[in-house]
Amino acid sequence: IYRENVNYGQVESVSLWVNDVGPEGKSTVLLSPIKAMPLVKAKIKNPAITIGGKRIVFPVELESGSYLEFNSPTDCKVYGPGGQLVGEVTPQGEVPELGQGANKATFTCDGPTDVNPRVRVTVISEGEAI
């Protein structure tokens, strides 16, 4: 499992879980070496979210461990890996709105070609229930 902030000196144990155990309660598990690998530093550019046909793009470059908080078109900030404010961003495009029922959200970005970047997207809604 990917974790962005791991203090390897504090890791005491590793848990392994087995799913789909056979009907007799037996399974064969083969393990290769388990390694704690450091985070590979990378950068993504122009992260974008699309919901309900509306797309908003954040014209910014984000390095590993940094994050972006969007509260409104006039309140969008970028924070560095240590939580420090790096700067403000002016988003481009339409602010997506959630519709009634299930909503499909799509994330895109320009990323490096030598690593497979991972991002965490959290959507928090506010306002009246729909």
Side-chain angles (χ1 to χ4, degrees):
I1 294 178
Y2 164 74
R3 303 297 295 180
E4 63 276 351
N5 295 315
V6 176
N7 182 343
Y8 296 105
Q10 297 297 316
V11 176
E12 183 176 297
S13 65
V14 175
S15 297
L16 299 173
W17 297 57
V18 178
N19 293 323
D20 294 326
V21 175
E24 298 161 7
K26 296 182 180 181
S27 290
T28 300
V29 178
L30 302 173
L31 293 175
S32 58
I34 298 173
K35 300 178 182 179
M37 305 295 288
L39 180 67
V40 174
K41 297 288 186 182
K43 294 181 181 179
I44 63 165
K45 297 178 185 176
N46 303 315
I49 298 284
T50 304
I51 300 174
K54 293 184 178 181
R55 184 172 189 256
I56 189 166
V57 179
F58 303 94
V60 67
E61 184 175 273
L62 299 172
E63 66 176 298
S64 298
S66 62
Y67 60 97
L68 182 143
E69 287 186 354
F70 171 76
N71 293 304
S72 76
T74 58
D75 183 9
C76 184
K77 296 179 175 61
V78 175
Y79 296 89
Q84 73 281 11
L85 178 64
V86 173
E88 297 192 17
V89 178
T90 302
Q92 300 171 346
E94 294 184 83
V95 177
E97 295 180 4
L98 296 175
Q100 189 171 14
N103 289 264
K104 180 180 178 181
T106 305
F107 174 85
T108 59
C109 69
D110 300 326
T113 57
D114 57 338
V115 295
N116 189 11
R118 298 181 187 193
V119 299
R120 178 184 304 163
V121 177
T122 303
V123 177
I124 301 173
S125 64
E126 65 179 20
E128 296 182 30
I130 52 175

